[in-house]
Amino acid sequence: MMELSLPQIWMIIGLLMLVAELVSVVLVFIFFAVGGLVTALLAALGILPTLEYQIVAFSTISMLTLILFRKHAKKLLETRRGKQEEYKEFIGETAMVIRDIPSDGSGKIYYRGAEWSATSNNHNPIDAGSKVIIQRTEGITLIVEES
């Protein structure tokens, strides 16, 4: 059986954190990915000879990148999201409610061959079977009014 070296283990940790970031939307795992990958590089170069130094380096690098760059990265992502005009073509279209939309929550509508999460624009409950008009979008939730 092949044993992994510490740099290889840190590389795996970094890559797993990168995959976790791609799956999540919290913008935290990327900084641990950076910590793992930089620690792998420093360990491979012999700069961090022991596991204790590597753990301290991983923790320090991860926390510093998180503290220094998260706010900037989040703002950059929000700016990009703001420029996207996804689902704008849905506005004014008619859909069918397939699960009741309560006044203070979300239900489901059927539109373009798919189920969508929907909330009531004016906070009036809308019963399943009703036709609605899409007013706007908030992410992937459609805001609707009964037609």
Side-chain angles (χ1 to χ4, degrees), residues 17-111:
M17 292 294 119
L18 193 58
V19 169
E21 183 62 48
L22 293 173
V23 172
S24 76
V25 292
V26 295
L27 195 65
V28 170
F29 294 108
I30 189 70
F31 303 106
F32 292 103
V34 169
L37 295 173
V38 170
T39 301
L41 177 65
L42 295 174
L45 294 173
I47 297 172
L48 301 173
T50 66
L51 179 61
E52 291 79 16
Y53 285 131
Q54 293 169 15
I55 291 171
V56 170
F58 170 75
S59 302
T60 304
I61 293 165
S62 297
M63 288 298 118
L64 280 176
T65 56
L66 179 73
I67 291 166
L68 295 174
F69 298 114
R70 185 167 192 265
K71 194 176 211 176
H72 179 68
K74 202 169 185 180
K75 192 179 291 186
L76 182 66
L77 286 175
E78 287 171 1
T79 301
R80 282 192 177 162
R81 283 188 193 134
K83 290 180 181 176
Q84 292 176 348
E85 297 195 8
E86 290 186 79
Y87 312 123
K88 295 291 186 198
E89 71 273 12
F90 293 7
I91 297 172
E93 296 285 323
T94 302
M96 177 71 69
V97 178
I98 57 174
R99 188 170 16 150
D100 291 350
I101 301 173
S103 59
D104 61 346
S106 65
K108 294 281 184 185
I109 64 171
Y110 186 77
Y111 177 68

Side-chain angles (χ1 to χ4, degrees), residues 3-22:
E3 289 192 32
L4 295 173
S5 68
L6 285 174
Q8 290 171 324
I9 292 171
W10 287 113
M11 178 71 76
I12 291 169
I13 290 170
L15 293 175
L16 287 174
M17 292 294 119
L18 193 58
V19 169
E21 183 62 48
L22 293 173

